[in-house]
Amino acid sequence: MDAPRSTWFEKPKYQNVKSLEENALPTGRWTKCPDCSEVFLKKQLEENLNVCVKCGHHFRIGAKERIRLLADEGTFREKFENIGAGDPLVFTDAKESYKDKIRNTVKKLKMNEGVITGTCRMGDFPAVLAVMEFSFLGGSMGSAIGEKIYQAMLLGIKNKCPVVTVAASGGARMHEGILSLMQMAKTCAGLERLGQNRVPYISILTDPTTGGVTASFASLGDVILAEPGALIGFAGPRVIEQTIRQKLPEGFQTAEFLRDHGFVDRVVPRAELKQAVVSLLQFFAS
Amino acid sequence: MAEIKPELALFDFEKPLQPLYHKAEKLMAEVPVNEKKLAAVGADIQKVTAKIYKGLNNWQLTQVARHVARPYSLDYIGKIFTDWQELHGDRNFRDDASTVCGVARFDGQSVVVVGQQKGRSTEENIRRNFGYPQPEAYRKALRFFKFAEKFNKPVVTLIDTPGAFPGLEGEERSQGEAIARNLREMAGLRVPIIAVIIGEGGSGGALGIGVANKVLMLEYSVYSVISPESCASILWRSSDEKIIAAKALKNDAKTALKFGIIDEIIPEGLGGAHRDPDGTAANIRKSLKRELAELCAKKPEELVDERIAKFAAMGVVTDL
Ligand SMILES: [Zn+2]
């Protein structure tokens, strides 16, 4: 049961921290791994669950693909898909209005908001599943995501079945101002209800999970799993570098870093993720 | 004479007051003082101050909320409560002086007080990390929320922080988990919680002690998901656009009230709390008295149900 000798005296090494942008899935037929620079066919990558064949780098995947990965085939039933963003502040930034931004994103992604919620079976165990979509305005949490996550919690209570969330978010959606901040409290209030009813909650953290989502429901799983190398933190790496005026150590704010500091239960490779969740569901069910 | 205080540093938008302060200063130096003239200048100062403060834009408001002479948590605690005893530490890692916790009496009633505290001097600011809490501040606050619950005492929190500190150590000890846990635990706390935003309600750092049955907000304080400077640098690619960003973010108390984020706006003294700390404290005391009486009459289940329902109702969505 001995650890490899090298870990006795070496500081743990983590994968490089990626900025929020540079980790996105590239387009075109060919793809280059940002970690090992290996070039391979996109199809090859997809067949390997968008994990680098050579070094195991986990590329980001969308919510729909994530649901295919986790839910038993044909069991996912979407709920609350009619809940969309409002524009309470009539917000406009340098480039465009929030209203246009939402309209264009909805059209482009064919999704109403940055989280897909519903019910499914996993290894034949029933679960409520909420999966965030990072490409929907950086997975930023506004009122609609808050409401959908909250409703997912209530559904877990009603159906007496575990809730599983998959986080992928840059933080709060500032276009909704103070209302977006309150979604942190709202989702956590939902979790408090879930806990009072002793319904299990499994939180899966993927690249990236930062800001208001880290500081709310994503960090409160009864069990917290994370994908290898995922950037997870409260403040973004650039904000921290600006504040402390120095480069961050290698591997800072990775899934492995959080596990080693006691804030993530397990780092699970994508290929083993579903089995890990199913095994937990089985634990809770029996 | 709260209205004549030339020693206060003036903001740009307060510059119309400068000649009036000078006039008042001169008059006060004369022997004997011409009381009639001085009273007239005093009335002018009041009139101009009222006019300026009525028309503050969101960036000016942000500046007032951050004013170095603005009363901080300990100032209000001294004016509102008696028998204050600060109690230190999260019983886990260290004591974080950016947040003060303790026990006090309010009109003879025992209360637990948690307040975010900025420093006045450079030395104190370093000790208090300029009011930026580290995770252990939230864990200390949680310790006292649970303490209040155990002994069935109401909690009053005073919010005044630019935000939770973004740094190496905070990430190692998980700022995110510390705040998240408080949000959940506060939602379920079986005693009354009243939060008062007294200055800067800076994002998750503020909310981390802000999940209350009643959220009150001082007239010239701000509550925002992000600072105008940070928002400007992200959405306008330049922090110089902070004035536009502040306007877009609508970080003012009226907006918060309109969307049900807060329950009441507490008026400040003329020209802001820094010009009238006592008057402002008296206004806070009045609101606290009323809210405490109302909340303390409720059963624990009611308090929890109402608090959760209150936050669950927050948000504006579209039915597609
Ligand atoms: Zn690779």
Side-chain angles (χ1 to χ4, degrees), chain A residues 26-80:
Chain A
T27 49
R29 270 187 75 209
W30 292 92
T31 276
K32 190 175 162 188
C33 175
D35 260 4
C36 70
S37 302
E38 180 81 353
V39 177
F40 34 75
L41 276 171
K42 219 179 141 189
K43 198 164 158 271
Q44 216 182 339
L45 186 65
E46 278 162 18
E47 279 164 3
N48 198 40
L49 308 173
N50 284 305
V51 174
C52 175
V53 185
K54 197 175 165 208
C55 75
H57 171 80
H58 282 54
F59 287 80
R60 288 177 188 160
I61 59 172
K64 285 167 191 165
E65 190 179 346
R66 177 73 64 183
I67 291 168
R68 273 196 297 277
L69 201 83
L70 290 176
D72 294 352
E73 206 180 333
T75 64
F76 186 78
R77 300 280 174 274
E78 188 170 0
K79 305 261 188 212
F80 319 121

Side-chain angles (χ1 to χ4, degrees), chain B residues 57-67 200 222 228 246 251:
Chain B
N57 66 34
N58 286 74
W59 173 244
Q60 292 164 343
L61 195 60
T62 308
Q63 290 172 280
V64 174
R66 295 173 182 171
H67 197 295
E200 263 186 292
V222 291
N251 57 357

Side-chain angles (χ1 to χ4, degrees), chain A residues 207-283:
Chain A
D207 187 71
T209 300
T210 61
V213 168
T214 299
S216 64
F217 67 92
S219 291
L220 295 176
D222 294 305
V223 177
I224 304 178
L225 306 177
E227 282 200 336
L231 169 71
I232 304 162
F234 172 68
R238 258 176 308 177
V239 175
I240 299 173
E241 282 186 343
Q242 279 163 14
T243 308
I244 63 172
R245 293 172 204 282
Q246 63 186 62
K247 275 276 177 212
L248 296 173
E250 201 174 302
F252 185 67
Q253 293 186 313
T254 56
E256 293 78 6
F257 173 92
L258 268 87
R259 177 199 57 205
D260 293 348
H261 284 87
F263 293 100
V264 158
D265 289 292
R266 275 191 75 199
V267 177
V268 186
R270 192 168 289 162
E272 299 161 29
L273 190 57
K274 177 166 180 178
Q275 190 43 48
V277 176
V278 169
S279 171
L280 290 168
L281 294 178
Q282 185 173 33
F283 166 84

Side-chain angles (χ1 to χ4, degrees), chain A residues 43-278:
Chain A
K43 198 164 158 271
Q44 216 182 339
L45 186 65
E46 278 162 18
E47 279 164 3
N48 198 40
L49 308 173
N50 284 305
V51 174
C52 175
V53 185
K54 197 175 165 208
C55 75
H57 171 80
H58 282 54
F59 287 80
R60 288 177 188 160
I61 59 172
K64 285 167 191 165
E65 190 179 346
R66 177 73 64 183
I67 291 168
R68 273 196 297 277
L69 201 83
L70 290 176
D72 294 352
E73 206 180 333
T75 64
F76 186 78
R77 300 280 174 274
E78 188 170 0
K79 305 261 188 212
F80 319 121
E81 67 269 35
N82 61 317
I83 298 171
D87 180 19
L89 303 185
V90 199
F91 195 99
T92 296
D93 67 23
K95 277 189 255 156
E96 58 184 333
S97 70
Y98 178 46
K99 207 170 219 141
D100 286 346
K101 208 188 248 314
I102 287 287
R103 194 185 296 129
N104 296 337
T105 308
V106 167
K107 210 193 274 175
K108 195 174 112 199
L109 298 180
K110 297 184 176 65
M111 283 179 68
N112 284 343
E113 252 296 345
V115 66
I116 299 178
T117 44
T119 59
C120 70
R121 288 188 165 263
M122 297 166 81
D124 216 28
F125 294 103
V128 172
L129 185 59
V131 182
M132 298 189 78
E133 172 66 53
F134 186 70
S135 51
F136 197 105
L137 300 186
S140 56
M141 179 162 67
S143 301
I145 290 183
E147 175 69 13
K148 287 176 86 167
I149 297 280
Y150 186 78
Q151 290 300 334
M153 303 294 174
L154 296 189
L155 194 59
I157 295 167
K158 187 174 153 231
N159 295 356
K160 295 189 177 62
C161 78
V163 176
V164 179
T165 64
V166 181
S169 171
R173 191 172 297 169
M174 57 191 139
H175 310 76
E176 293 184 22
I178 190 69
L179 287 151
S180 68
L181 183 69
M182 292 306 133
Q183 304 314 310
M184 292 166 59
K186 178 167 175 171
T187 54
C188 291
L191 275 180
E192 174 62 19
R193 277 276 181 258
L194 202 66
Q196 288 168 354
N197 286 275
R198 304 206 178 274
V199 175
Y201 169 46
I202 299 168
S203 172
I204 301 169
L205 312 180
T206 70
D207 187 71
T209 300
T210 61
V213 168
T214 299
S216 64
F217 67 92
S219 291
L220 295 176
D222 294 305
V223 177
I224 304 178
L225 306 177
E227 282 200 336
L231 169 71
I232 304 162
F234 172 68
R238 258 176 308 177
V239 175
I240 299 173
E241 282 186 343
Q242 279 163 14
T243 308
I244 63 172
R245 293 172 204 282
Q246 63 186 62
K247 275 276 177 212
L248 296 173
E250 201 174 302
F252 185 67
Q253 293 186 313
T254 56
E256 293 78 6
F257 173 92
L258 268 87
R259 177 199 57 205
D260 293 348
H261 284 87
F263 293 100
V264 158
D265 289 292
R266 275 191 75 199
V267 177
V268 186
R270 192 168 289 162
E272 299 161 29
L273 190 57
K274 177 166 180 178
Q275 190 43 48
V277 176
V278 169

Side-chain angles (χ1 to χ4, degrees), chain A residues 82 84-86 88-89 91 93-94 112 143 150 174 177 180-183 186 192-193 215-216 233-235 252-253 263, chain B residues 166 168 171-176 180 184 188 204 207 223 225 234 236 248 250 259 305 312 314-320:
Chain A
N82 61 317
L89 303 185
F91 195 99
D93 67 23
N112 284 343
S143 301
Y150 186 78
M174 57 191 139
S180 68
L181 183 69
M182 292 306 133
Q183 304 314 310
K186 178 167 175 171
E192 174 62 19
R193 277 276 181 258
S216 64
F234 172 68
F252 185 67
Q253 293 186 313
F263 293 100
Chain B
L168 283 175
E171 296 293 325
E172 284 175 352
R173 298 192 290 276
S174 195
Q175 196 71 272
R184 187 188 63 199
L207 186 61
Y223 201 10
V225 66
I234 295 169
W236 279 267
K250 300 191 172 74
F259 289 111
D305 288 351
M314 291 181 189
V316 173
V317 297
T318 311
D319 192 9
L320 298 165

